[in-house]
């Protein structure tokens, strides 16, 4: 997994690039005891949602394309 830091005028955040399984511990830490909220569209969720849910509890928040 590769981590890229994005810096804006107001904040900075990391973008993780790589297989979902490599990000599991980081995503679980972010979610805590809650289900992970994933901002996605229906097409991407259809392709990858089952694999993500197999790693940890997650719920999609769909945005239009």
């Amino acid at each position: 997994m590769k981590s890229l830091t994005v810096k804006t005028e107001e904040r900075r955040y990391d973008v993780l690039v790589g297989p979902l399984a490599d990000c599991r511990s980081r995503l679980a830490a972010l979610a805590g005891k809650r289900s992970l909220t994933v901002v996605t569209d229906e097409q991407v969720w259809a392709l990858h949602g089952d694999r993500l849910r197999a790693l940890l509890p997650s719920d999609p928040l769909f945005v239009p394309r």
Side-chain angles (χ1 to χ4, degrees):
M1 167 186 54
K2 185 172 185 158
S3 178
L4 306 170
T5 301
V6 176
K7 298 176 186 176
T8 69
E9 289 182 21
E10 298 172 3
R11 64 181 298 223
R12 63 187 269 174
Y13 57 92
D14 295 331
V15 175
L16 305 177
V17 180
L20 284 172
D22 292 353
C23 303
R24 185 187 186 288
S25 61
R26 181 94 180 254
L27 294 172
L30 289 170
K33 296 183 187 251
R34 299 167 302 189
S35 182
L36 183 70
T37 300
V38 181
V39 179
T40 186
D41 66 36
E42 291 184 20
Q43 184 176 6
V44 171
W45 185 255
L47 293 170
H48 304 288
D50 288 341
R51 289 190 309 191
L52 181 56
R53 280 192 169 151
L55 294 174
L56 44 99
S58 51
D59 295 310
L61 175 62
F62 293 117
V63 295
R65 291 183 62 177

